[in-house]
Amino acid sequence: MSARSALSATAIAAASVLLAGCTSTASSGSGGSKISLVQSGKLTTCTHLPYAPFQSKEGKKIVGFDVDLVDLVASSLKVEQEIIDTPFEGIQSGEDLNANKCDVAAAGMTINDVREKNLDFSDPYFEATQALVTKKGKPYSSLGDLDGKKLAVQQGTTGEAYAQKRAKGAKLVQFEDLALLLTAVKTGQVDAGVNDNGVLYDYVKDNPDTEVTAEFNTGEQYGIAVRTGNDALRKKVDKVLKQARADGRYDRIYKKWFGTAPKKPTEKAATEPAAN
């Protein structure tokens, strides 16, 4: 799910899981190596719901920015995408991929050093940063304003790690998923919440009694993850993302979910530094 987490590396006992159960597609990766999928005719994606607009339920269907991008990969492989909703810790630790639960993980997940020990990431596909959400009219526009106040964080996310380092005076309240965090902010159970800017701006758009009061320039990038050593599939993902950026499909998908074209590398969003 959110930039998301920087938890300590989980023991990857599942690394020895049998891989013989994979079924090969007819597609080949760079160098001619075959791409193997855990289910014949399907590209199985692990994600953690909800994390709109990257992935969320619309009726019985799972939709979102990440979903549309992985659909491009599935289409290139001539298979259908199947999405599994699973706890985020199993995604970021690499456990789900090692256990052949899925082929790729697309969960609004920040690339960082801890995760790169457990996963192999695609090239970055989204720029993100941390932000602060409050009920409208509350006087909290920096982490320093929250000394002695309750600050909601999502378990295992980069937002939680950032708050642990920079919001020393706040009382951190941990939530399992984004929906619970945002409900706590909206209902006043907590004074504010920290999470990725993309999901927070999407939330306040439909909840005008809340607002994003600050962004913190954490310079995060999301990646699509594969099992460590699965170079054929990783290279296929990179190739599809590169083609989509070149032919305009990426920009169209981005505008569909964010209402605007993606910023160019030289364009920087206005940010406020953390106060402590």
Side-chain angles (χ1 to χ4, degrees), residues 96-127:
D96 288 340
L97 289 163
N98 288 329
N100 288 331
K101 193 171 185 177
C102 46
D103 303 297
V104 299
M109 184 163 52
T110 298
I111 301 167
N112 62 31
D113 292 341
V114 173
R115 293 178 186 148
E116 286 189 313
K117 294 177 181 176
N118 306 323
L119 308 161
D120 282 350
F121 281 100
S122 69
D123 292 334
Y125 70 89
F126 188 82
E127 307 287 330

Side-chain angles (χ1 to χ4, degrees), residues 239-251:
K239 182 178 180 181
V240 170
L241 290 176
K242 184 176 181 180
Q243 289 173 335
R245 286 184 184 274
D247 63 24
R249 286 178 296 162
Y250 177 90
D251 284 7

Side-chain angles (χ1 to χ4, degrees), residues 1-4 51 54-55 65-66 107-111 115 121-130 158 195-199 220-225 241 245 258:
M1 335 209 85
S2 102
R4 294 202 186 175
Y51 211 66
F54 297 93
Q55 56 272 329
F65 180 71
D66 284 1
M109 184 163 52
T110 298
I111 301 167
R115 293 178 186 148
F121 281 100
S122 69
D123 292 334
Y125 70 89
F126 188 82
E127 307 287 330
T129 194
Q130 294 304 306
T158 50
N195 212 287
D196 294 4
N197 58 344
V199 294
E220 300 176 46
Q221 295 180 311
Y222 291 172
I224 295 170
L241 290 176
R245 286 184 184 274
F258 298 99

Side-chain angles (χ1 to χ4, degrees), residues 2-211:
S2 102
R4 294 202 186 175
S5 346
L7 289 181
S8 57
T10 301
I12 305 187
S16 59
V17 171
L18 293 175
L19 298 178
C22 296
T23 56
S24 291
T25 71
S27 300
S28 298
S30 297
S33 58
K34 292 285 184 181
I35 293 174
S36 294
L37 302 177
V38 298
Q39 295 186 73
S40 181
K42 295 179 180 178
L43 179 65
T44 308
T45 303
C46 278
T47 196
H48 181 55
L49 301 173
Y51 211 66
F54 297 93
Q55 56 272 329
S56 62
K57 273 194 173 181
E58 192 174 272
K60 294 183 178 181
K61 190 177 180 182
I62 298 174
V63 300
F65 180 71
D66 284 1
V67 177
D68 285 356
L69 289 182
V70 178
D71 271 344
L72 298 181
V73 180
S75 178
S76 180
L77 291 169
K78 296 180 172 57
V79 298
E80 297 291 325
Q81 178 181 188
E82 179 166 300
I83 301 172
I84 296 174
D85 181 21
T86 186
F88 190 65
E89 172 55 19
I91 295 173
Q92 69 150 2
S93 68
E95 184 177 348
D96 288 340
L97 289 163
N98 288 329
N100 288 331
K101 193 171 185 177
C102 46
D103 303 297
V104 299
M109 184 163 52
T110 298
I111 301 167
N112 62 31
D113 292 341
V114 173
R115 293 178 186 148
E116 286 189 313
K117 294 177 181 176
N118 306 323
L119 308 161
D120 282 350
F121 281 100
S122 69
D123 292 334
Y125 70 89
F126 188 82
E127 307 287 330
T129 194
Q130 294 304 306
L132 190 68
V133 62
T134 70
K135 288 199 74 172
K136 197 152 195 171
K138 292 292 184 180
Y140 310 124
S141 58
S142 74
L143 296 181
D145 293 336
L146 291 161
D147 285 357
K149 304 296 182 181
K150 292 181 180 180
L151 177 61
V153 296
Q154 185 180 347
Q155 179 183 353
T157 61
T158 50
E160 179 182 37
Y162 187 77
Q164 287 170 343
K165 291 179 180 178
R166 302 295 186 96
K168 301 288 188 182
K171 298 174 183 177
L172 302 191
V173 182
Q174 190 184 69
F175 293 91
E176 184 179 356
D177 61 42
L178 178 68
L180 293 173
L181 181 155
L182 292 171
T183 297
V185 172
K186 186 178 176 69
T187 59
Q189 297 174 51
V190 297
D191 298 289
V194 170
N195 212 287
D196 294 4
N197 58 344
V199 294
L200 296 188
Y201 280 116
D202 185 75
Y203 180 77
V204 302
K205 184 173 58 181
D206 296 323
N207 293 270
D209 56 338
T210 62
E211 61 182 331

